[in-house]
Amino acid sequence: MSDQPVPCVTARQQLDPAVADAVRAYAARTRAAADKFAGVLEDIAANGLPMVEVCTPWEELREAHLARLARQRPAVA
């Protein structure tokens, strides 16, 4: 066997401009969500956890999210 490394294939398939724009938009949304999450964690680290009495139970958050998803999806007959 040779001690030479196997060359890496560097050719890439170019994306359609519309697809590339969609990927960039997804990356921007993901980055914004990560920044928001990091901000929440930094606030918790600096100020501690909020009191349970002022928090919304996760069951209510889940139901509200499921209701939003149901409104976004058209009904199937």
Side-chain angles (χ1 to χ4, degrees), residues 5-27:
V6 177
C8 180
V9 177
T10 59
R12 293 183 174 210
Q13 178 182 356
Q14 293 299 312
L15 297 176
D16 179 90
V19 174
D21 289 342
V23 170
R24 285 186 197 93
Y26 177 74

Side-chain angles (χ1 to χ4, degrees), residues 58-75:
W58 72 269
E59 295 91 349
E60 290 180 27
L61 296 172
R62 179 194 63 210
E63 293 303 318
H65 183 65
L66 290 174
R68 275 193 308 276
L69 291 174
R71 285 193 303 270
Q72 291 173 359
R73 175 179 277 182

